[in-house]
Amino acid sequence: MFHGLSAFPLTPLREGTFDEHSFINLLRPVVDAGVDSLGILGSTGSYAYLTVEERGRIARCAVAHADDIPVIVSIGALRLDDIRSLADDAQSAGVSGVLLAPVSYQRLTEDEVFNLYETVTRQLSVPLCIYDNPATTGFSFSDELLFAAAALPNIGSIKLGRVPEDLSQVRARLPDTVTLGIAGDWRAASALQAGFDVWYSVVGGLFPQTALAIARSKESAQSERLEPLWALFRHYGSLRVVAAAAEMLGKVETPALPFPLQAIHGEPREALAAIIADLALA
Amino acid sequence: MFHGLSAFPLTPLREGTFDEHSFINLLRPVVDAGVDSLGILGSTGSYAYLTVEERGRIARCAVAHADDIPVIVSIGALRLDDIRSLADDAQSAGVSGVLLAPVSYQRLTEDEVFNLYETVTRQLSVPLCIYDNPATTGFSFSDELLFAAAALPNIGSIKLGRVPEDLSQVRARLPDTVTLGIAGDWRAASALQAGFDVWYSVVGGLFPQTALAIARSKESAQSERLEPLWALFRHYGSLRVVAAAAEMLGKVETPALPFPLQAIHGEPREALAAIIADLALA
């Protein structure tokens, strides 16, 4: 399951609460396109802003509309009891895997992060993807911690926002059963070329055909034509950009993001509209 | 209320849930010492790890045991509806002020942070202290944003983790009704000397007499004798250090912090025990 293209759709809101109708409409073309997995309630799916109850409901909804495509759900939270409830709910919903970033308020230490993964993986019946996301967690995995955590039971993949300088050396220290995935859509083609197994993709959650063309061909040219979009992703954060795209295309209500987060507006939103038209993304 | 020494006690846990008995025992000496305000459920009070319901209960408990000392409660959360509920609960509990940091998962923009404070302050009947805490929020206020936010209605104070180079210039651009407070205990004496109005103090929540000696005298020497403690605060985070001190002194259960956070242990904990004895803090 942790290979190829994993598409991370938005979790759209309507007046601040889960908009199931729009969510199902977002899932349909992604499922029909035949992505390799669905990444539900990732950072792009605003998991951190939703309650345990909402997240259970959204996981069940995703599994019900995923046909045979494996569903991966984030179980990240600050409290261990919330993480446990989220893992239980996700597994009861029938997900195929879970994703966990070391969400923090107080920045965590290496020991604390290892203890977290050790405790959480012990109760899992599905594989877990370790998510190294310093931009949202304030915590960066060292290579040593990554190797130690990857050796825990039930680890299936690692989601990295960088391509290690010596990928073969990193690979040699990971269990054979643990795949390597890339986050940051603008890095995907080069990471897949370098030997990454999976692309955890934001654009794939809204424009799955475009993402599949990159994931299947691994051609730089396929990615380079999207550079105007990647520039917006890097500058404003991919979430604010895909939310604006989904709003403009009428696929979700406006505003779709949890306050105080805002989809891009004004000049960059106009630039995005031109990019979507130029690249025939929609 | 936003002046002098504001003492921030721990919110101790027992088996992962609020330990009311230990909390009241922590409050008593702080109240008896005559601090100028109590900062309940600050970062040191683990607010981010507790539910809205738990936080309402803790606010009520603090007000009930604060005698005539003003209580300030943090209302920080990722979701606006949670912030609103927390503000309502705190005000119903009878707090004198609230504290709000721009808690984030996706790092917020300046516009988003301003909109957040504008929206929240509109519903308040007590003054709010703006908390600039880049280490936990990943967001740093620019001076311009600080001035704009400070001019909103119901702003009573700003809690900064730094001493601006030109304090008089900063002061000149703040409303007269907004006080300036310092966070980071090792900076307190020099900040108070430089003209800060209030010290938002971690050490004051456990060793109020020690903190009061610094706050009342503003003498560098009073602070410098605590340098071994400040060094631990800077290295491990003050929360992990005061939690270890409270655990060692038998004032709270072990572990008192929410998993995966850990009080310091091993060598630094032994060093802390020696510091507490040497400085006669307990």
Side-chain angles (χ1 to χ4, degrees), chain B residues 154-185:
Chain B
N154 292 320
I155 300 292
S157 187
I158 295 172
K159 180 176 176 186
L160 280 182
R162 58 188 169 86
V163 179
E165 270 179 50
D166 190 341
L167 188 60
S168 60
Q169 199 187 15
V170 169
R171 181 78 80 180
R173 297 201 49 194
L174 294 175
D176 291 343
T177 48
V178 174
T179 69
L180 260 179
I182 193 73
D185 285 357

PDB file of all heavy atoms in Angstrom, chain B residues 154-185:
ATOM      1  N   ASN B 154      -9.835  45.531  24.369  1.00  0.00           N
ATOM      2  CA  ASN B 154      -9.667  44.467  25.377  1.00  0.00           C
ATOM      3  C   ASN B 154      -8.271  43.868  25.456  1.00  0.00           C
ATOM      4  O   ASN B 154      -8.100  42.790  26.027  1.00  0.00           O
ATOM      5  CB  ASN B 154     -10.677  43.317  25.168  1.00  0.00           C
ATOM      6  CG  ASN B 154     -12.098  43.756  25.444  1.00  0.00           C
ATOM      7  OD1 ASN B 154     -12.323  44.497  26.396  1.00  0.00           O
ATOM      8  ND2 ASN B 154     -13.022  43.355  24.608  1.00  0.00           N
ATOM      9  N   ILE B 155      -7.272  44.519  24.866  1.00  0.00           N
ATOM     10  CA  ILE B 155      -5.907  44.034  25.045  1.00  0.00           C
ATOM     11  C   ILE B 155      -5.327  44.711  26.287  1.00  0.00           C
ATOM     12  O   ILE B 155      -5.375  45.938  26.419  1.00  0.00           O
ATOM     13  CB  ILE B 155      -5.018  44.347  23.817  1.00  0.00           C
ATOM     14  CG1 ILE B 155      -5.577  43.689  22.557  1.00  0.00           C
ATOM     15  CG2 ILE B 155      -3.568  43.893  24.083  1.00  0.00           C
ATOM     16  CD1 ILE B 155      -5.523  42.174  22.532  1.00  0.00           C
ATOM     17  N   GLY B 156      -4.791  43.890  27.208  1.00  0.00           N
ATOM     18  CA  GLY B 156      -4.270  44.427  28.458  1.00  0.00           C
ATOM     19  C   GLY B 156      -2.773  44.295  28.614  1.00  0.00           C
ATOM     20  O   GLY B 156      -2.154  45.012  29.413  1.00  0.00           O
ATOM     21  N   SER B 157      -2.160  43.378  27.865  1.00  0.00           N
ATOM     22  CA  SER B 157      -0.732  43.136  28.060  1.00  0.00           C
ATOM     23  C   SER B 157      -0.173  42.359  26.867  1.00  0.00           C
ATOM     24  O   SER B 157      -0.924  41.779  26.067  1.00  0.00           O
ATOM     25  CB  SER B 157      -0.517  42.335  29.352  1.00  0.00           C
ATOM     26  OG  SER B 157       0.852  42.201  29.667  1.00  0.00           O
ATOM     27  N   ILE B 158       1.148  42.375  26.782  1.00  0.00           N
ATOM     28  CA  ILE B 158       1.868  41.576  25.784  1.00  0.00           C
ATOM     29  C   ILE B 158       2.934  40.790  26.531  1.00  0.00           C
ATOM     30  O   ILE B 158       3.691  41.362  27.322  1.00  0.00           O
ATOM     31  CB  ILE B 158       2.539  42.474  24.734  1.00  0.00           C
ATOM     32  CG1 ILE B 158       1.485  43.227  23.929  1.00  0.00           C
ATOM     33  CG2 ILE B 158       3.431  41.647  23.812  1.00  0.00           C
ATOM     34  CD1 ILE B 158       2.070  44.278  22.998  1.00  0.00           C
ATOM     35  N   LYS B 159       2.984  39.488  26.277  1.00  0.00           N
ATOM     36  CA  LYS B 159       3.996  38.622  26.892  1.00  0.00           C
ATOM     37  C   LYS B 159       5.037  38.285  25.831  1.00  0.00           C
ATOM     38  O   LYS B 159       4.729  37.606  24.845  1.00  0.00           O
ATOM     39  CB  LYS B 159       3.314  37.350  27.407  1.00  0.00           C
ATOM     40  CG  LYS B 159       4.240  36.344  28.076  1.00  0.00           C
ATOM     41  CD  LYS B 159       3.439  35.157  28.637  1.00  0.00           C
ATOM     42  CE  LYS B 159       4.360  34.093  29.220  1.00  0.00           C
ATOM     43  NZ  LYS B 159       3.618  32.881  29.641  1.00  0.00           N
ATOM     44  N   LEU B 160       6.248  38.782  26.044  1.00  0.00           N
ATOM     45  CA  LEU B 160       7.329  38.645  25.059  1.00  0.00           C
ATOM     46  C   LEU B 160       8.443  37.773  25.622  1.00  0.00           C
ATOM     47  O   LEU B 160       8.776  37.874  26.798  1.00  0.00           O
ATOM     48  CB  LEU B 160       7.947  40.008  24.740  1.00  0.00           C
ATOM     49  CG  LEU B 160       7.258  40.960  23.775  1.00  0.00           C
ATOM     50  CD1 LEU B 160       8.130  42.207  23.602  1.00  0.00           C
ATOM     51  CD2 LEU B 160       7.023  40.302  22.424  1.00  0.00           C
ATOM     52  N   GLY B 161       9.065  36.987  24.759  1.00  0.00           N
ATOM     53  CA  GLY B 161      10.207  36.187  25.162  1.00  0.00           C
ATOM     54  C   GLY B 161      11.524  36.842  24.792  1.00  0.00           C
ATOM     55  O   GLY B 161      12.535  36.164  24.625  1.00  0.00           O
ATOM     56  N   ARG B 162      11.513  38.160  24.674  1.00  0.00           N
ATOM     57  CA  ARG B 162      12.723  38.905  24.286  1.00  0.00           C
ATOM     58  C   ARG B 162      12.584  40.331  24.792  1.00  0.00           C
ATOM     59  O   ARG B 162      11.475  40.808  25.029  1.00  0.00           O
ATOM     60  CB  ARG B 162      12.890  38.900  22.766  1.00  0.00           C
ATOM     61  CG  ARG B 162      11.690  39.490  22.052  1.00  0.00           C
ATOM     62  CD  ARG B 162      11.739  39.332  20.532  1.00  0.00           C
ATOM     63  NE  ARG B 162      10.457  39.690  19.938  1.00  0.00           N
ATOM     64  CZ  ARG B 162      10.088  40.920  19.599  1.00  0.00           C
ATOM     65  NH1 ARG B 162      10.910  41.943  19.775  1.00  0.00           N
ATOM     66  NH2 ARG B 162       8.892  41.159  19.093  1.00  0.00           N
ATOM     67  N   VAL B 163      13.724  40.994  24.947  1.00  0.00           N
ATOM     68  CA  VAL B 163      13.717  42.405  25.329  1.00  0.00           C
ATOM     69  C   VAL B 163      14.058  43.212  24.070  1.00  0.00           C
ATOM     70  O   VAL B 163      15.155  43.070  23.536  1.00  0.00           O
ATOM     71  CB  VAL B 163      14.754  42.698  26.432  1.00  0.00           C
ATOM     72  CG1 VAL B 163      14.748  44.168  26.795  1.00  0.00           C
ATOM     73  CG2 VAL B 163      14.466  41.843  27.664  1.00  0.00           C
ATOM     74  N   PRO B 164      13.105  44.015  23.553  1.00  0.00           N
ATOM     75  CA  PRO B 164      13.387  44.778  22.329  1.00  0.00           C
ATOM     76  C   PRO B 164      14.597  45.688  22.524  1.00  0.00           C
ATOM     77  O   PRO B 164      14.811  46.217  23.621  1.00  0.00           O
ATOM     78  CB  PRO B 164      12.121  45.611  22.117  1.00  0.00           C
ATOM     79  CG  PRO B 164      11.060  44.912  22.897  1.00  0.00           C
ATOM     80  CD  PRO B 164      11.755  44.277  24.063  1.00  0.00           C
ATOM     81  N   GLU B 165      15.357  45.870  21.445  1.00  0.00           N
ATOM     82  CA  GLU B 165      16.551  46.723  21.526  1.00  0.00           C
ATOM     83  C   GLU B 165      16.192  48.135  21.980  1.00  0.00           C
ATOM     84  O   GLU B 165      16.824  48.692  22.853  1.00  0.00           O
ATOM     85  CB  GLU B 165      17.251  46.785  20.165  1.00  0.00           C
ATOM     86  CG  GLU B 165      18.290  45.684  20.005  1.00  0.00           C
ATOM     87  CD  GLU B 165      18.956  45.751  18.646  1.00  0.00           C
ATOM     88  OE1 GLU B 165      19.415  46.849  18.262  1.00  0.00           O
ATOM     89  OE2 GLU B 165      18.999  44.706  17.972  1.00  0.00           O
ATOM     90  N   ASP B 166      15.167  48.682  21.329  1.00  0.00           N
ATOM     91  CA  ASP B 166      14.755  50.040  21.716  1.00  0.00           C
ATOM     92  C   ASP B 166      13.390  49.980  22.387  1.00  0.00           C
ATOM     93  O   ASP B 166      12.352  50.147  21.755  1.00  0.00           O
ATOM     94  CB  ASP B 166      14.710  50.943  20.472  1.00  0.00           C
ATOM     95  CG  ASP B 166      14.524  52.409  20.878  1.00  0.00           C
ATOM     96  OD1 ASP B 166      14.071  52.655  22.023  1.00  0.00           O
ATOM     97  OD2 ASP B 166      14.819  53.277  20.051  1.00  0.00           O
ATOM     98  N   LEU B 167      13.421  49.733  23.703  1.00  0.00           N
ATOM     99  CA  LEU B 167      12.178  49.513  24.441  1.00  0.00           C
ATOM    100  C   LEU B 167      11.290  50.757  24.447  1.00  0.00           C
ATOM    101  O   LEU B 167      10.058  50.656  24.355  1.00  0.00           O
ATOM    102  CB  LEU B 167      12.501  49.071  25.871  1.00  0.00           C
ATOM    103  CG  LEU B 167      11.312  48.627  26.715  1.00  0.00           C
ATOM    104  CD1 LEU B 167      10.601  47.439  26.086  1.00  0.00           C
ATOM    105  CD2 LEU B 167      11.780  48.254  28.125  1.00  0.00           C
ATOM    106  N   SER B 168      11.918  51.941  24.529  1.00  0.00           N
ATOM    107  CA  SER B 168      11.100  53.163  24.614  1.00  0.00           C
ATOM    108  C   SER B 168      10.342  53.391  23.306  1.00  0.00           C
ATOM    109  O   SER B 168       9.215  53.881  23.315  1.00  0.00           O
ATOM    110  CB  SER B 168      11.979  54.374  24.958  1.00  0.00           C
ATOM    111  OG  SER B 168      12.957  54.548  23.954  1.00  0.00           O
ATOM    112  N   GLN B 169      10.957  52.992  22.195  1.00  0.00           N
ATOM    113  CA  GLN B 169      10.280  53.140  20.904  1.00  0.00           C
ATOM    114  C   GLN B 169       9.078  52.181  20.815  1.00  0.00           C
ATOM    115  O   GLN B 169       8.012  52.559  20.321  1.00  0.00           O
ATOM    116  CB  GLN B 169      11.279  52.837  19.784  1.00  0.00           C
ATOM    117  CG  GLN B 169      10.853  53.391  18.438  1.00  0.00           C
ATOM    118  CD  GLN B 169      11.785  52.919  17.322  1.00  0.00           C
ATOM    119  OE1 GLN B 169      12.570  51.985  17.495  1.00  0.00           O
ATOM    120  NE2 GLN B 169      11.677  53.566  16.175  1.00  0.00           N
ATOM    121  N   VAL B 170       9.277  50.953  21.291  1.00  0.00           N
ATOM    122  CA  VAL B 170       8.182  49.992  21.316  1.00  0.00           C
ATOM    123  C   VAL B 170       7.062  50.517  22.210  1.00  0.00           C
ATOM    124  O   VAL B 170       5.891  50.541  21.834  1.00  0.00           O
ATOM    125  CB  VAL B 170       8.667  48.613  21.811  1.00  0.00           C
ATOM    126  CG1 VAL B 170       7.504  47.673  22.104  1.00  0.00           C
ATOM    127  CG2 VAL B 170       9.626  47.997  20.791  1.00  0.00           C
ATOM    128  N   ARG B 171       7.434  50.962  23.394  1.00  0.00           N
ATOM    129  CA  ARG B 171       6.456  51.480  24.359  1.00  0.00           C
ATOM    130  C   ARG B 171       5.656  52.649  23.764  1.00  0.00           C
ATOM    131  O   ARG B 171       4.435  52.732  23.953  1.00  0.00           O
ATOM    132  CB  ARG B 171       7.219  51.931  25.608  1.00  0.00           C
ATOM    133  CG  ARG B 171       6.375  52.467  26.699  1.00  0.00           C
ATOM    134  CD  ARG B 171       5.692  51.393  27.477  1.00  0.00           C
ATOM    135  NE  ARG B 171       6.583  50.783  28.455  1.00  0.00           N
ATOM    136  CZ  ARG B 171       6.232  49.805  29.270  1.00  0.00           C
ATOM    137  NH1 ARG B 171       5.005  49.313  29.228  1.00  0.00           N
ATOM    138  NH2 ARG B 171       7.085  49.302  30.115  1.00  0.00           N
ATOM    139  N   ALA B 172       6.344  53.502  23.018  1.00  0.00           N
ATOM    140  CA  ALA B 172       5.681  54.683  22.450  1.00  0.00           C
ATOM    141  C   ALA B 172       4.594  54.293  21.453  1.00  0.00           C
ATOM    142  O   ALA B 172       3.638  55.049  21.242  1.00  0.00           O
ATOM    143  CB  ALA B 172       6.714  55.586  21.776  1.00  0.00           C
ATOM    144  N   ARG B 173       4.725  53.116  20.858  1.00  0.00           N
ATOM    145  CA  ARG B 173       3.739  52.707  19.854  1.00  0.00           C
ATOM    146  C   ARG B 173       2.647  51.792  20.422  1.00  0.00           C
ATOM    147  O   ARG B 173       1.777  51.324  19.687  1.00  0.00           O
ATOM    148  CB  ARG B 173       4.437  52.064  18.666  1.00  0.00           C
ATOM    149  CG  ARG B 173       5.365  53.085  17.970  1.00  0.00           C
ATOM    150  CD  ARG B 173       5.704  52.732  16.568  1.00  0.00           C
ATOM    151  NE  ARG B 173       4.567  52.376  15.749  1.00  0.00           N
ATOM    152  CZ  ARG B 173       4.679  51.777  14.558  1.00  0.00           C
ATOM    153  NH1 ARG B 173       5.890  51.483  14.105  1.00  0.00           N
ATOM    154  NH2 ARG B 173       3.618  51.477  13.845  1.00  0.00           N
ATOM    155  N   LEU B 174       2.715  51.532  21.726  1.00  0.00           N
ATOM    156  CA  LEU B 174       1.673  50.727  22.370  1.00  0.00           C
ATOM    157  C   LEU B 174       0.698  51.633  23.112  1.00  0.00           C
ATOM    158  O   LEU B 174       1.102  52.669  23.656  1.00  0.00           O
ATOM    159  CB  LEU B 174       2.307  49.756  23.379  1.00  0.00           C
ATOM    160  CG  LEU B 174       3.201  48.652  22.813  1.00  0.00           C
ATOM    161  CD1 LEU B 174       3.835  47.864  23.955  1.00  0.00           C
ATOM    162  CD2 LEU B 174       2.416  47.733  21.892  1.00  0.00           C
ATOM    163  N   PRO B 175      -0.574  51.258  23.162  1.00  0.00           N
ATOM    164  CA  PRO B 175      -1.522  52.033  23.976  1.00  0.00           C
ATOM    165  C   PRO B 175      -1.042  52.067  25.433  1.00  0.00           C
ATOM    166  O   PRO B 175      -0.425  51.116  25.918  1.00  0.00           O
ATOM    167  CB  PRO B 175      -2.829  51.236  23.855  1.00  0.00           C
ATOM    168  CG  PRO B 175      -2.684  50.427  22.602  1.00  0.00           C
ATOM    169  CD  PRO B 175      -1.228  50.134  22.464  1.00  0.00           C
ATOM    170  N   ASP B 176      -1.350  53.162  26.127  1.00  0.00           N
ATOM    171  CA  ASP B 176      -0.947  53.316  27.533  1.00  0.00           C
ATOM    172  C   ASP B 176      -1.510  52.211  28.417  1.00  0.00           C
ATOM    173  O   ASP B 176      -0.963  51.906  29.477  1.00  0.00           O
ATOM    174  CB  ASP B 176      -1.447  54.653  28.091  1.00  0.00           C
ATOM    175  CG  ASP B 176      -0.710  55.818  27.453  1.00  0.00           C
ATOM    176  OD1 ASP B 176       0.369  55.580  26.859  1.00  0.00           O
ATOM    177  OD2 ASP B 176      -1.223  56.951  27.540  1.00  0.00           O
ATOM    178  N   THR B 177      -2.622  51.648  27.982  1.00  0.00           N
ATOM    179  CA  THR B 177      -3.311  50.649  28.802  1.00  0.00           C
ATOM    180  C   THR B 177      -2.731  49.242  28.639  1.00  0.00           C
ATOM    181  O   THR B 177      -3.164  48.315  29.307  1.00  0.00           O
ATOM    182  CB  THR B 177      -4.797  50.596  28.396  1.00  0.00           C
ATOM    183  OG1 THR B 177      -4.846  50.506  26.951  1.00  0.00           O
ATOM    184  CG2 THR B 177      -5.532  51.838  28.847  1.00  0.00           C
ATOM    185  N   VAL B 178      -1.755  49.092  27.751  1.00  0.00           N
ATOM    186  CA  VAL B 178      -1.169  47.766  27.491  1.00  0.00           C
ATOM    187  C   VAL B 178       0.194  47.667  28.174  1.00  0.00           C
ATOM    188  O   VAL B 178       1.107  48.428  27.870  1.00  0.00           O
ATOM    189  CB  VAL B 178      -1.026  47.517  25.971  1.00  0.00           C
ATOM    190  CG1 VAL B 178      -0.287  46.210  25.699  1.00  0.00           C
ATOM    191  CG2 VAL B 178      -2.399  47.503  25.306  1.00  0.00           C
ATOM    192  N   THR B 179       0.315  46.704  29.101  1.00  0.00           N
ATOM    193  CA  THR B 179       1.604  46.532  29.786  1.00  0.00           C
ATOM    194  C   THR B 179       2.489  45.554  29.012  1.00  0.00           C
ATOM    195  O   THR B 179       2.012  44.787  28.182  1.00  0.00           O
ATOM    196  CB  THR B 179       1.412  46.012  31.227  1.00  0.00           C
ATOM    197  OG1 THR B 179       0.942  44.652  31.176  1.00  0.00           O
ATOM    198  CG2 THR B 179       0.419  46.863  32.011  1.00  0.00           C
ATOM    199  N   LEU B 180       3.782  45.606  29.325  1.00  0.00           N
ATOM    200  CA  LEU B 180       4.752  44.729  28.677  1.00  0.00           C
ATOM    201  C   LEU B 180       5.262  43.707  29.689  1.00  0.00           C
ATOM    202  O   LEU B 180       5.739  44.079  30.766  1.00  0.00           O
ATOM    203  CB  LEU B 180       5.939  45.545  28.173  1.00  0.00           C
ATOM    204  CG  LEU B 180       5.961  45.907  26.697  1.00  0.00           C
ATOM    205  CD1 LEU B 180       7.196  46.741  26.396  1.00  0.00           C
ATOM    206  CD2 LEU B 180       5.929  44.663  25.812  1.00  0.00           C
ATOM    207  N   GLY B 181       5.188  42.430  29.309  1.00  0.00           N
ATOM    208  CA  GLY B 181       5.627  41.375  30.216  1.00  0.00           C
ATOM    209  C   GLY B 181       6.706  40.522  29.601  1.00  0.00           C
ATOM    210  O   GLY B 181       6.765  40.350  28.389  1.00  0.00           O
ATOM    211  N   ILE B 182       7.531  39.944  30.457  1.00  0.00           N
ATOM    212  CA  ILE B 182       8.647  39.125  29.984  1.00  0.00           C
ATOM    213  C   ILE B 182       8.396  37.653  30.292  1.00  0.00           C
ATOM    214  O   ILE B 182       7.896  37.308  31.364  1.00  0.00           O
ATOM    215  CB  ILE B 182       9.987  39.595  30.608  1.00  0.00           C
ATOM    216  CG1 ILE B 182      11.172  38.942  29.874  1.00  0.00           C
ATOM    217  CG2 ILE B 182      10.045  39.326  32.102  1.00  0.00           C
ATOM    218  CD1 ILE B 182      11.447  39.483  28.507  1.00  0.00           C
ATOM    219  N   ALA B 183       8.737  36.801  29.347  1.00  0.00           N
ATOM    220  CA  ALA B 183       8.749  35.347  29.549  1.00  0.00           C
ATOM    221  C   ALA B 183      10.183  34.867  29.388  1.00  0.00           C
ATOM    222  O   ALA B 183      10.958  35.457  28.642  1.00  0.00           O
ATOM    223  CB  ALA B 183       7.840  34.666  28.532  1.00  0.00           C
ATOM    224  N   GLY B 184      10.513  33.754  30.037  1.00  0.00           N
ATOM    225  CA  GLY B 184      11.905  33.282  30.052  1.00  0.00           C
ATOM    226  C   GLY B 184      12.525  33.804  31.338  1.00  0.00           C
ATOM    227  O   GLY B 184      13.035  34.920  31.383  1.00  0.00           O
ATOM    228  N   ASP B 185      12.480  32.984  32.393  1.00  0.00           N
ATOM    229  CA  ASP B 185      12.799  33.470  33.742  1.00  0.00           C
ATOM    230  C   ASP B 185      14.192  34.077  33.842  1.00  0.00           C
ATOM    231  O   ASP B 185      14.412  35.015  34.627  1.00  0.00           O
ATOM    232  CB  ASP B 185      12.673  32.325  34.753  1.00  0.00           C
ATOM    233  CG  ASP B 185      11.216  31.992  35.069  1.00  0.00           C
ATOM    234  OD1 ASP B 185      10.312  32.685  34.545  1.00  0.00           O
ATOM    235  OD2 ASP B 185      10.989  31.062  35.860  1.00  0.00           O
TER     236      ASP B 185
END
